[in-house]
């Protein structure tokens, strides 16, 4: 014969489950949603505000970075001008030396010494 060990383990389980009350499930769902939804909506608004603030912060940082880049360009230009000034001074000194040498050679020519 068929003993208790021959019966399927799932046999009889369906009959043991209580009937599910759809209205109760709906009310529990609504209760759960109404409990958590306000907090979730506040969190959503806070995250949106945070995201907007981050966008503003990023734009401000980009502006500051471009200012620093402009400063670096100005420093480069200043270095270029000071280098140009240095070379100009060298040229002025060379010209003065050449004029002095020209005067000396002219005096020597006047004295009758051929160079």
């Amino acid at each position: 014969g068929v003993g208790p060990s021959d019966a399927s383990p799932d046999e009889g389980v369906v009959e043991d489950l209580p009937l599910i009350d759809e209205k109760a499930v709906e009310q529990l769902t609504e209760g759960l949603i109404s409990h958590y939804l306000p907090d979730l909506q506040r969190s959503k608004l806070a995250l949106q505000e945070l995201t907007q603030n981050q966008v503003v912060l990023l734009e401000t940082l980009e502006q500051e970075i471009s200012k620093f880049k402009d400063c670096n360009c100005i420093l480069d230009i200043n270095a270029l001008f000071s280098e140009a000034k240095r070379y100009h001074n060298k040229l002025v000194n060379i010209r003065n030396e050449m004029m002095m040498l020209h005067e000396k050679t002219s005096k020597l020519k006047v004295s009758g010494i051929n160079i």
Side-chain angles (χ1 to χ4, degrees), residues 8 11 16 21 27 35 37 41 44 51 82-83 99:
S8 169
E11 198 173 306
D16 294 342
D21 185 356
Q27 287 175 339
H35 180 74
L37 194 59
Q41 286 173 331
K44 180 182 175 184
T51 304
S82 61
E83 195 173 350
M99 286 173 57

Side-chain angles (χ1 to χ4, degrees), residues 1-8:
V2 177
S5 60
D6 292 339
S8 169

Side-chain angles (χ1 to χ4, degrees), residues 93-104:
N93 289 338
I94 290 171
R95 191 187 77 182
N96 290 340
E97 274 185 52
M98 289 177 73
M99 286 173 57
M100 188 181 67
L101 289 172
H102 178 69
E103 276 182 41
K104 285 183 180 181

Side-chain angles (χ1 to χ4, degrees), residues 19-104:
L19 290 175
I20 297 171
D21 185 356
E22 293 292 329
K23 187 159 180 77
V25 169
E26 190 178 320
Q27 287 175 339
L28 286 171
T29 304
E30 285 176 14
L32 191 66
I33 289 173
S34 68
H35 180 74
Y36 286 108
L37 194 59
D39 286 339
L40 290 172
Q41 286 173 331
R42 277 193 296 274
S43 298
K44 180 182 175 184
L45 288 174
L47 285 172
Q48 285 174 338
E49 187 178 342
L50 182 63
T51 304
Q52 288 171 347
N53 289 341
Q54 283 179 332
V55 168
V56 170
L57 184 60
L58 283 173
E59 288 172 356
T60 306
L61 278 174
E62 285 173 6
Q63 290 172 1
E64 292 301 314
I65 287 169
S66 77
K67 285 180 189 176
F68 277 116
K69 286 179 181 173
D70 291 346
C71 284
N72 282 340
C73 288
I74 290 169
L75 289 176
D76 291 345
I77 289 170
N78 286 340
L80 197 62
F81 275 120
S82 61
E83 195 173 350
K85 186 177 179 181
R86 198 171 77 236
Y87 282 117
H88 174 73
N89 289 336
K90 283 184 177 187
L91 284 172
V92 167
N93 289 338
I94 290 171
R95 191 187 77 182
N96 290 340
E97 274 185 52
M98 289 177 73
M99 286 173 57
M100 188 181 67
L101 289 172
H102 178 69
E103 276 182 41
K104 285 183 180 181

